Amino acid sequence: MAALIRRRLLGTSAEAGRRRRKGEVREVTKANFNAAVEEFKADLAVSDFVAVSLQKTGSFSARWHRPLPFDTNDTAYLKAKYAAERFQVLQFAACPFSLRGSKLKAHPYNFVLYPRDELKMGMPAYSFSILTSQLTSMVQEGFDFNACIYDGISYLSKAQESAAKARIGNATWSTPSNYVKDSSVIHTVADTIFIQRIKSRVKNWIITCKKSCSKEDVLVSSLRKLVVGTELYGSRPYMDIDVCSERQVQLALEMLKEFSYELVPVIIPAKGGSTKSVRVVLISSKEDKDLFEKELLNGEEEQSKRFRGFREVIDLISASQKPVVSHNSLNDFTFIYSKFISPLPANIDEFTGSLSLVFPHILDVNHLMKNIGPLRKVTNIPAAISYLNNHYFAPIDLETLPQENEGNVHRHIIVKICYLFAKLCTILKIPKNATPSNNHLLAPALEEYANISNLSDIPQESDEDVRIWSGNMTKISCDHLVFLWGFRSGLTAGMLKSMLQKSHDVFLENFDVRIVDKSCAIVVFRQPGLSETFLDVVSHANISGSLKEMVSEGLRATDYGTYKRVCKLGLWEADLADSLDKALEDPEYSMEADSTTNRREILWSADSMINFANL
């Protein structure tokens, strides 16, 4: 593996900067980013949707860290939040596309990212985790580490950009025409003195500058500029008016309105967001004034681009209000929000509320796949496409569908997501007019599949080692679940269930067992009250029979509230049993915070577990 990584690190990104052929994925690095953004903007404008797919340094480092069937929306979000804050995005594939009947027109881009601290401000130079298994997979898929590390596109989130601008100051200009005088404000004696002082200084400075423009000795002109304090803003003379408050800024702008025909004021901010001075720039004509103001605007835009970096692509997608298509919306958009918008909120309600302001329409192909029974168990995109091609006649006119052996695998996944979405829309008979209208409202045909309001609907794969029951998904209250750990290692769910059946009368009723990870299992009671009875028995001093023997050997049990507390406190140990132990020992647990658990329901099905090999 090390040799493979070295070859990737020493390799060259020959494709970067080369103009793509029709239908080819555009590989974008720092070298060709500006040109690619302009192309992306044009493609986005003529498209109806935009698909996104992320390549990350990892997602979930332990099996139970993944969203599981017994997770509520809250716990599933907390797991995704932990992953987004820990791992890093190295590739961001985005594909504006249109669907007209059976014709799919896609414009795929693959942006190579790296969180480089280009402004030397400690942002966004995160320390981030990398899973070795993910690193191996990326090497095998043809990932170019050389392009990532040396030519990856950096960025700042919106929150980081605001902090950076406040820290170093962001020069913006303001002409007197932007200032509206408040006639109700009465000037004090101090105001009058300040205005008269700077007015006299400005008049003398203008006269001196004009004299220096006449034919005089260069040395004399230089000495005059030095004495008066004149410097050059590009080729134009300027002077600074120091101010001590925002009121003095307004007074200076008010006074400078008298000189609007030959002066342009520029606000120079100080670190922290306040104003350091008002810079007065002398212009030679109206044409020169217009040119200067245009230069200021262009300079401000260039500076903003430096701050934004790759986030400019995120801003374009958000501003377009186009529906965003994803294959794993919860995981993808916690990463997107964390890296490019702001630190993630503490709970799912705040997250979905804030996310909807940035991306009002999110479509997850997993939600569409739920409507085709056999696809509920499929998490692999090529496998889903293969199944649909073999079982449904739904032709999609796409120039080329990339194959797995075509170099960097991830950059081709984005095209397959578009193709899968188009295929599902055709099979589910979502009409051609389901695309957004001019007012950016999502058509009713797609509304039921939009956004991620029900995160428990993530399609998952069954675990063949454990069978609880088959059939449709059944709602199970969190009250009916008990977490069990401390049993002998190597036990299967069937063996553990058999032992429990013989241990106490509470297990004479129908119940199920699921192994969560090697350290912990979950017991599902079908009848109300049985979970509480079992927990009381386990903790009772007069426990007897084989259950007593199991408890003496270390068996422990707890309710769903403890599991929710584990996620809320961020106790992400490798084994769930260790996290549950720590949560039970933590004195800072609020029963009030856990009181909502009893009112929550989850969706449980043995046929809906995650297929971890495909994630």
Side-chain angles (χ1 to χ4, degrees):
M1 172 182 164
L4 284 172
I5 294 175
R6 281 197 297 272
R7 286 198 294 271
R8 289 295 173 192
L9 286 171
L10 295 174
T12 59
S13 182
E15 293 184 63
R18 161 170 76 86
R19 188 168 184 84
R20 57 179 171 168
R21 296 184 298 272
K22 185 177 181 180
E24 183 183 5
V25 179
R26 175 73 181 270
E27 191 79 358
V28 185
T29 62
K30 185 169 60 175
N32 63 336
F33 176 66
N34 290 334
V37 166
E38 294 303 315
E39 288 186 31
F40 180 84
K41 185 190 299 185
D43 290 337
L44 185 63
V46 298
S47 299
D48 298 319
F49 304 90
V50 55
V52 297
S53 177
L54 282 60
Q55 176 81 296
K56 305 172 282 276
T57 61
S59 290
F60 306 104
S61 54
R63 174 172 176 166
W64 75 272
H65 293 174
R66 303 171 183 269
L68 297 168
F70 51 79
D71 276 311
T72 62
N73 288 354
D74 297 313
T75 56
Y77 167 70
L78 291 171
K79 289 181 175 183
K81 177 177 182 287
Y82 172 66
E85 292 170 343
R86 184 180 180 191
F87 298 103
Q88 184 61 45
V89 180
L90 295 184
Q91 286 189 112
F92 192 109
C95 183
F97 69 98
S98 300
L99 181 59
R100 296 288 186 272
S102 62
K103 185 172 180 60
L104 173 62
K105 189 174 183 180
H107 311 278
Y109 294 77
N110 185 55
F111 297 91
V112 181
L113 311 182
Y114 197 73
R116 191 179 298 101
D117 183 15
E118 302 208 4
L119 298 175
K120 310 300 181 187
M121 299 181 63
M123 297 185 296
Y126 309 103
S127 59
F128 55 87
S129 299
I130 300 178
L131 292 181
T132 54
S133 58
Q134 180 68 11
L135 192 65
T136 302
S137 176
M138 291 168 68
V139 170
Q140 294 171 345
E141 292 177 355
F143 183 76
D144 191 341
F145 287 95
N146 182 66
C148 176
I149 296 172
Y150 296 107
D151 206 18
I153 309 159
S154 189
Y155 55 85
L156 290 181
S157 69
K158 287 186 177 181
Q160 290 168 337
E161 180 183 356
S162 297
K165 286 182 176 179
R167 192 181 304 177
I168 68 174
N170 183 32
T172 58
W173 63 275
S174 173
T175 64
S177 60
N178 293 335
Y179 168 67
V180 179
K181 181 179 178 181
D182 188 349
S183 58
S184 64
V185 176
I186 300 175
H187 288 169
T188 64
V189 174
D191 292 341
T192 303
I193 294 174
F194 175 78
I195 291 173
Q196 292 301 323
R197 179 172 60 84
I198 62 171
K199 184 175 182 179
S200 175
R201 182 185 169 195
V202 167
K203 281 184 175 180
N204 291 332
W205 174 76
I206 292 174
I207 293 171
T208 301
C209 287
K210 290 182 177 180
K211 283 184 179 180
S212 65
C213 293
S214 60
K215 294 182 179 180
E216 64 178 12
D217 186 84
V218 176
L219 177 60
V220 174
S221 177
S222 299
L223 290 173
R224 187 189 302 278
K225 290 179 180 178
L226 181 65
V227 172
V228 177
T230 297
E231 298 184 61
L232 293 179
Y233 196 110
S235 61
R236 302 173 181 88
Y238 79 86
M239 65 171 286
D240 286 341
I241 301 174
D242 294 329
V243 291
C244 300
S245 65
E246 291 303 314
R247 179 173 178 80
Q248 287 190 349
V249 173
Q250 300 303 318
L251 291 172
L253 292 177
E254 179 184 335
M255 183 277 299
L256 290 171
K257 285 178 70 68
E258 297 182 22
F259 304 91
S260 60
Y261 59 93
E262 54 187 348
L263 297 178
V264 175
V266 179
I267 304 300
I268 306 299
K271 293 182 179 181
S274 59
T275 301
K276 177 182 179 181
S277 62
V278 177
R279 180 162 295 174
V280 182
V281 181
L282 183 65
I283 45 94
S284 58
S285 64
K286 184 180 184 305
E287 291 75 16
D288 185 40
K289 179 179 180 181
D290 294 338
L291 178 62
F292 177 58
E293 291 179 349
K294 184 177 180 180
E295 289 174 2
L296 287 174
L297 284 174
N298 291 338
E300 186 178 355
E301 178 60 21
E302 285 300 315
Q303 185 185 43
S304 295
K305 282 186 176 181
R306 287 188 61 213
F307 282 114
R308 293 194 302 266
F310 169 75
R311 204 197 78 237
E312 186 169 358
V313 174
I314 302 297
D315 292 344
L316 287 172
I317 296 173
S318 175
S320 75
Q321 300 286 285
K322 303 289 176 70
V324 184
V325 178
S326 169
H327 181 247
N328 189 348
S329 55
L330 173 60
N331 191 243
D332 281 352
F333 281 93
T334 47
F335 270 88
I336 290 172
Y337 193 100
S338 173
K339 307 306 180 190
F340 309 120
I341 300 173
S342 183
L344 285 163
N347 59 66
I348 179 63
D349 293 331
E350 292 180 21
F351 170 65
T352 53
S354 298
L355 184 65
S356 65
L357 298 177
V358 184
F359 304 106
H361 309 299
I362 297 172
L363 297 164
D364 195 323
V365 293
N366 284 327
H367 288 241
L368 277 73
M369 288 162 60
K370 284 182 63 204
N371 291 271
I372 300 175
L375 288 186
R376 290 182 177 178
K377 300 180 181 181
V378 178
T379 58
N380 183 280
I381 295 174
I385 292 174
S386 177
Y387 177 87
L388 294 177
N389 285 337
N390 291 333
H391 292 82
Y392 293 90
F393 179 74
I396 297 298
D397 182 13
L398 177 64
E399 188 166 320
T400 305
L401 187 61
Q403 301 302 312
E404 291 296 334
N405 58 355
E406 294 185 7
N408 188 334
V409 173
H410 174 261
R411 68 180 182 182
H412 296 304
I413 287 293
I414 193 67
V415 181
K416 295 183 179 182
I417 291 176
C418 298
Y419 182 84
L420 178 58
F421 176 79
K423 199 87 171 175
L424 289 167
C425 285
T426 302
I427 294 169
L428 296 174
K429 300 187 184 306
I430 297 175
K432 289 186 291 185
N433 62 354
T435 52
S437 57
N438 292 333
N439 57 7
H440 303 300
L441 295 177
L442 199 62
L446 286 173
E447 275 291 353
E448 61 178 297
Y449 305 110
N451 300 323
I452 50 177
S453 57
N454 191 347
L455 303 179
S456 296
D457 283 346
I458 302 172
Q460 297 159 332
E461 185 85 1
S462 63
D463 184 347
E464 295 181 0
D465 293 334
V466 181
R467 288 191 80 77
I468 298 178
W469 74 79
S470 60
N472 295 329
M473 299 185 77
T474 306
K475 287 186 176 181
I476 299 292
S477 171
C478 294
D479 287 342
H480 296 176
L481 306 182
V482 171
F483 288 85
L484 210 62
W485 70 101
F487 46 83
R488 294 197 304 270
S489 63
L491 290 180
T492 65
M495 295 165 62
L496 183 57
K497 182 175 181 178
S498 179
M499 292 173 63
L500 291 173
Q501 283 175 324
K502 302 172 184 177
S503 68
H504 195 273
D505 291 345
V506 73
F507 293 109
L508 295 178
E509 300 293 339
N510 202 356
F511 71 99
D512 299 290
V513 176
R514 168 73 63 180
I515 299 295
V516 179
D517 65 6
K518 65 180 182 180
S519 69
C520 184
I522 189 169
V523 180
V524 185
F525 291 97
R526 294 192 177 185
Q527 308 228 349
L530 292 182
S531 60
E532 290 88 345
T533 301
F534 173 62
L535 290 172
D536 289 340
V537 170
V538 170
S539 61
H540 203 280
N542 296 328
I543 187 174
S544 61
S546 59
L547 186 58
K548 180 178 181 180
E549 182 181 346
M550 294 174 69
V551 171
S552 65
E553 292 176 354
L555 185 73
R556 299 193 70 182
T558 191
D559 60 10
Y560 194 89
T562 305
Y563 173 72
K564 185 178 179 182
R565 190 189 332 166
V566 163
C567 299
K568 186 174 184 180
L569 295 177
L571 304 175
W572 306 108
E573 302 296 325
D575 292 335
L576 178 55
D578 293 336
S579 297
L580 292 169
D581 281 330
K582 286 190 175 183
L584 290 173
E585 295 167 1
D586 195 310
E588 298 180 0
Y589 171 57
S590 169
M591 295 301 295
E592 181 180 355
D594 201 46
S595 62
T596 58
T597 299
N598 294 338
R599 298 192 296 271
R600 302 302 296 268
E601 290 183 326
I602 64 173
L603 295 174
W604 178 270
S605 172
D607 294 329
S608 298
M609 292 296 288
I610 293 176
N611 183 353
F612 297 104
N614 292 331
L615 295 180

